[in-house]
């Protein structure tokens, strides 16, 4: 079976993979990555899949990874699974290696000077080095993620500015001095299911709308999607 995921969630996964992969290249791991969520796998890059993100169910107890379209029929799933099962490579590093090699192959970055079978270079890299690394692939991922990261940084700054505003300080005083009224403002966010910091953020919006009468569509919204989600 196949499932889809929101593109912005997929982008967050890719961003985390890039950060972790950079750490892997610069510093050897003392222990292997933990196994991903049971019985699920995902394609780690939109660079090889035309922005289509697919979740595929995996056979229980089998390693979880997706073979990119560029390598379909050219590499043995059984052999790749054996690499994982024997500890030659982690599922995470295998997925990154497959996507990196597929990217290089697609963009003619794989040298075939000494072999008639380019995939042999991927298998050799895994056998000898424990993974296949591609600086061009990581560079392309960073470029793809840049708008998303910038939007996330802007959202974080917006929230910081909100916390430093006079309205937020007045809201905190209102919370202490009018506990009963504050509880009434919390009712709507609580019914929706918000808790913790999110509950306070949305109660603040209720405070602005109900008490200050200044609520409008341009107000800070903790759930407003990042602009990159529209890409």
């Amino acid at each position: 079976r196949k499932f889809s995921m929101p593109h912005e969630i997929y982008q967050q996964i890719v961003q985390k993979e890039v950060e972790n992969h950079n750490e892997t290249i610069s510093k050897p791991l003392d222990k292997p990555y933990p196994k991903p969520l049971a019985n699920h796998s995902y394609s780690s890059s939109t660079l090889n899949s035309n922005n289509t993100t697919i979740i595929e169910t995996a056979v229980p107890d089998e390693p979880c990874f997706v073979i990119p379209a560029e390598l379909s029929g050219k590499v043995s799933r059984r052999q790749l699974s054996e690499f994982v099962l024997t500890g030659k490579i982690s599922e995470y590093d295998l997925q990154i290696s497959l996507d990196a090699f597929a990217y290089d192959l697609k963009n003619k970055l794989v040298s075939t000077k000494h072999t008639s079978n380019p995939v042999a270079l991927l298998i050799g890299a895994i056998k000898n080095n424990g993974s296949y690394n591609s600086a061009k692939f990581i560079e392309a991922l960073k470029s793809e993620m840049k708008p998303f990261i910038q939007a996330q940084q802007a959202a974080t700054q917006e929230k910081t500015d909100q916390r430093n505003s006079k309205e937020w300080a007045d809201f905190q005083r209102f919370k202490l001095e009018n506990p009963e009224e504050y509880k009434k403002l919390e009712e709507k966010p609580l019914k929706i299911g918000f808790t913790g910091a999110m509950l306070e953020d949305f109660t603040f919006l209720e405070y602005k709308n109900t008490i200050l009468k200044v609520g409008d569509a341009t107000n800070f919204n903790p759930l407003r999607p990042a602009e990159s989600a529209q890409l």
Side-chain angles (χ1 to χ4, degrees):
R1 293 179 296 170
K2 294 185 177 182
F3 305 85
S4 62
M5 68 168 65
H7 189 64
E8 58 269 24
I9 301 300
Y10 168 76
Q11 289 281 35
Q12 293 178 19
I13 293 174
V14 174
Q15 179 183 356
K16 189 63 177 176
E17 287 186 349
V18 172
E19 293 172 353
N20 287 343
H21 190 59
N22 285 339
E23 292 178 5
T24 303
I25 294 174
S26 62
K27 180 180 179 182
L29 290 174
D30 295 326
K31 55 183 179 179
Y33 280 102
K35 291 172 70 65
L37 294 177
N39 301 336
H40 291 83
S41 60
Y42 57 90
S43 174
S44 67
S45 172
T46 58
L47 297 172
N48 296 323
S49 59
N50 297 322
N51 290 325
T52 299
T53 306
I54 299 295
I55 299 293
E56 298 180 354
T57 58
V59 178
D61 300 324
E62 285 290 323
C64 300
F65 58 89
V66 174
I67 297 177
E70 289 78 8
L71 301 180
S72 179
K74 299 177 181 178
V75 63
S76 167
R77 174 174 287 276
R78 177 176 294 182
Q79 183 181 28
L80 296 176
S81 295
E82 288 178 355
F83 286 154
V84 175
L85 295 174
T86 57
K88 180 70 70 175
I89 189 173
S90 69
E91 289 171 321
Y92 171 82
D93 283 340
L94 175 60
Q95 188 65 68
I96 286 288
S97 295
L98 288 171
D99 287 332
F101 187 79
Y103 175 83
D104 284 357
L105 193 63
K106 178 180 179 181
N107 291 279
K108 304 185 186 308
L109 299 174
V110 177
S111 174
T112 58
K113 184 177 180 180
H114 302 292
T115 178
S116 59
N117 180 18
V119 176
L121 299 176
L122 168 66
I123 301 303
I126 294 176
K127 286 182 176 180
N128 300 322
N129 305 321
S131 66
Y132 176 87
N133 296 319
S134 168
K136 290 290 186 181
F137 176 68
I138 294 302
E139 182 181 333
L141 276 182
K142 287 181 178 180
S143 177
E144 184 184 69
M145 289 300 302
K146 188 175 181 180
F148 174 77
I149 294 172
Q150 289 175 335
Q152 291 297 93
Q153 291 172 339
T156 299
Q157 185 59 50
E158 185 180 12
K159 189 166 186 176
T160 298
D161 294 342
Q162 182 70 73
R163 290 288 193 274
N164 294 330
S165 69
K166 181 180 182 300
E167 287 178 339
W168 183 265
D170 291 342
F171 171 64
Q172 295 302 317
R173 282 195 296 272
F174 175 85
K175 180 179 179 179
L176 293 174
E177 296 171 1
N178 305 277
E180 293 301 321
E181 289 187 64
Y182 183 82
K183 284 184 178 180
K184 291 181 180 179
L185 294 177
E186 276 188 320
E187 289 178 0
K188 184 177 178 180
L190 278 171
K191 286 181 180 178
I192 297 175
F194 293 119
T195 60
M198 292 297 289
L199 173 60
E200 187 175 37
D201 285 336
F202 276 90
T203 303
F204 175 62
L205 294 183
E206 288 297 307
Y207 166 78
K208 292 183 71 175
N209 291 329
T210 305
I211 305 301
L212 301 184
K213 308 291 186 182
V214 295
D216 58 54
T218 62
N219 278 340
F220 166 73
N221 184 342
L223 286 186
R224 186 170 64 224
E227 293 180 9
S228 59
Q230 318 256 335
L231 295 178

